[in-house]
Amino acid sequence: MEIKRVYKVYFSATYTTKKVVDVIANELCNSIIDCDITSQSLTETIEMDRGDVLVIGMPVYGGRIPASTLQSIIKLKGNNTPAVISCVYGNRDYDDALLELRNEVEARGFKIVSASAFVARHSIFTQIAKDRPNLDDMAQVLQFAIRSKSIIETLDDFSLLQQIDVKGNMPYKVFNQLPMYPTSNEYCVECGVCASKCPVGAISNDNPRATNELKCLACGRCIIECAVGARDFSGEFFEARAVKFQDAFSAPKANEMYYAEINIL
Ligand SMILES: Cc1cc2nc3c(=O)[nH]c(=O)nc-3n(C[C@H](O)[C@H](O)[C@H](O)COP(=O)(O)O)c2cc1C
């Protein structure tokens, strides 16, 4: 099939997932529709036509894809449309996230051409995989995109693709939100950038020093967007957890790439 258009759908609070899907989408086609669902869920149904490809990327949160993204995924409608799916994780584990993403995307009428799990800096424990994705990772992302493109271009009927057997189990791991939220420190000048960039409105515009812990995803966006380094994770629970994490998950993990086999009639 000739690729005419790519829908690039992603949630990316600290921009590593975006980095991955950008490379994949750019390699597949020049015509890209950018659907950043980090701060805004899809409200309208997107029905794909022949020639369209879905490129979708999600970070791993507690071994799952972020729950809030499901309301956007259900708005996607494929008609045996090829899809390239990726999850990006912080070098601990991606557990059931890729399986969940595969199942959700397939249930919307897409055929998965390829699937991947790439390693990136952990957005809470930022010393873990702190320089990833590095140049070697990005070269692997590009290779993944090139191979995915060649499968799409050689095939015409995507119903011939066999389901990809990715890692993961059902029922999926239960998401367990840890009591850790970024707070502001003494450098805060109350500029409000964190409040305006928070995906879930957990920081008040009137008082950016306050975080609504019930809403906060701990996604790390406020930390990365603050120009003066005024937001961070801190506190005893966080510090203790960070030490444990560093001991357990510092050894670099390899990226994983899967490609669908084609059923020969
Ligand atoms: C709430 C939360 C939960 C996370 N859970 C996991 C996890 O289960 N396994 C893992 O390896 N990384 C985990 N991470 C790290 C992210 O998956 C990783 O940093 C990813 O690159 C973030 O993507 P982004 O830069 O697009 O926001 C978690 C991060 C957050 C904020």
Side-chain angles (χ1 to χ4, degrees), residues 112-115 147 151 161-164 258-262:
I112 314 288
V113 170
S114 53
R147 192 157 160 196
I151 298 172
L161 286 178
Q162 282 177 23
Q163 186 182 58
I164 301 183
Y258 306 80
Y259 303 93
E261 303 279 327
I262 300 165

Side-chain angles (χ1 to χ4, degrees), residues 11-19 58-64 88-95 118-124 173 175 177 217-220 224 233 245:
F11 179 103
S12 188
T14 65
Y15 304 107
T16 59
T17 307
K18 180 175 188 319
K19 221 171 163 177
M58 295 290 161
V60 176
Y61 281 7
R64 304 281 301 275
V88 178
Y89 73 107
N91 201 59
R92 185 193 65 76
D93 205 315
Y94 61 93
D95 297 310
F118 286 102
V119 176
R121 181 187 54 208
H122 199 294
S123 45
I124 298 179
K173 197 176 170 180
F175 176 70
Q177 173 101 41
L217 302 174
C219 69
I224 216 157
F233 287 98
F245 244 77

